[in-house]
Amino acid sequence: MSGPAAPRLTPLVLPHLEGVAPDALDPDEVHEAERITAPASGRPLAWSGLRLRHCELHLPEVATLRAEGARLLDCRVVAPVVTTWRAVGATWRGVEVVEGRIGHLDAAEGQWDRVALAGARIGYLSLRDAEVTDVRLADCEVET
């Protein structure tokens, strides 16, 4: 018997990105080719229902990120420092998370397809009732 197949991941190549403030994000629009940098303030962010395509996220110090039902398509998350990330029912397709620290990542009932986490530390990860396809964790630490 053979084990599970290796994840089928393709390298993420982002186009030229325009800088956008996180407060300018509108969940009624698709945000494309944007570099979004949250201020290192520790304040919560409300991104539920947000739709991002070909974006790069910098989340240096976020207390709570509410992103229920959000769609991240071909996006990179660089060195997030997030205490609680609520992504229940969210879709992550072609997403890279590079390094960082996430205290609690709740991605229950969501869809993860072609997701790569590298060098990340996660205190608690919930993928309960999620559809998970082609996911790779490399040099990661998941505590529980």
Side-chain angles (χ1 to χ4, degrees), residues 90 92 105 107 110-115 117 125 127 131-133 135:
W92 290 19
L105 175 53
Q111 295 178 335
W112 277 22
D113 182 25
R114 297 182 337 268
V115 174
L117 289 92
L125 173 62
L127 290 166
E131 295 178 32
V132 178
T133 308
V135 173

Side-chain angles (χ1 to χ4, degrees), residues 11-41:
L12 178 61
V13 178
L14 295 175
H16 173 76
L17 302 173
E18 295 294 327
V20 174
D23 295 339
L25 300 175
D26 182 351
D28 294 328
E29 298 178 7
V30 175
H31 296 274
E32 191 161 351
E34 296 177 344
R35 177 175 292 111
I36 302 153
T37 302
S41 65

Side-chain angles (χ1 to χ4, degrees), residues 20 25-27 29-34 36 47 49-57 67 70-77 85 91-93 95:
V20 174
L25 300 175
D26 182 351
E29 298 178 7
V30 175
H31 296 274
E32 191 161 351
E34 296 177 344
I36 302 153
W47 288 357
L50 194 63
R51 296 173 291 165
L52 303 175
R53 175 176 288 145
H54 299 112
C55 291
E56 186 172 87
L57 306 174
R71 295 178 55 84
L72 278 68
L73 309 175
D74 300 315
C75 293
R76 178 176 295 124
V77 183
W85 189 334
T91 298
W92 290 19
R93 186 172 60 224
V95 172

